[in-house]
């Protein structure tokens, strides 16, 4: 039982440590990664939300809301320097 407890503690610590290292928070500056794909900006945190525009690798913005989960994605609201403020999937960003 003690070994199982230690194992679960270590797994939890590693998981939380990795998650915290990649967390995006309100006020953070973010940049779209250079993977060659654009990132949609939407009115609501949903793939069916009204499309407001796109941002491209290298584009930067400031997180103003979120993160929230929806449709299997993590979404953050961003005031983009080069596009309207809106919700984008936050996995392709760098901090």
């Amino acid at each position: 039982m003690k070994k199982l407890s230690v194992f679960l503690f270590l797994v939890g610590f590693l998981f939380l440590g990795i998650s915290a290292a990649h967390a995006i928070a309100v006020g953070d500056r973010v940049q779209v990664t250079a993977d060659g794909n654009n990132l949609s900006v939407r009115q609501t945190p949903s793939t069916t939300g009204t499309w407001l525009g796109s941002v491209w690798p290298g584009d930067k913005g400031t997180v103003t809301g979120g993160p929230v989960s929806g449709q299997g994605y993590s979404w953050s609201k961003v005031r983009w320097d080069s596009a309207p403020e809106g919700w984008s999937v936050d996995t392709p960003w760098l901090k």
Side-chain angles (χ1 to χ4, degrees):
M1 183 67 175
K2 184 176 180 179
K3 287 182 183 180
L4 179 60
S5 295
V6 170
F7 174 76
L8 292 175
F9 171 78
L10 290 174
V11 169
F13 176 77
L14 289 174
F15 176 74
L16 291 174
I18 291 169
S19 295
H22 297 289
I24 293 174
V26 171
D28 286 351
R29 288 287 291 169
V30 292
Q31 178 177 344
V32 180
T33 61
D35 65 2
N37 295 317
N38 66 322
L39 181 64
S40 292
V41 180
R42 299 195 176 270
Q43 189 172 13
T44 58
S46 168
T47 58
T48 59
T50 301
W51 183 79
L52 301 175
S54 293
V55 287
W56 296 89
D59 287 348
K60 296 178 182 179
T62 303
V63 177
T64 60
V68 298
S69 295
Q71 297 179 308
Y73 298 103
S74 176
W75 299 81
S76 288
K77 190 171 187 180
V78 179
R79 184 176 55 247
W80 293 103
D81 297 348
S82 61
E85 180 174 12
W87 292 90
S88 296
V89 174
D90 58 28
T91 52
W93 295 339
L94 296 177
K95 279 182 94 173

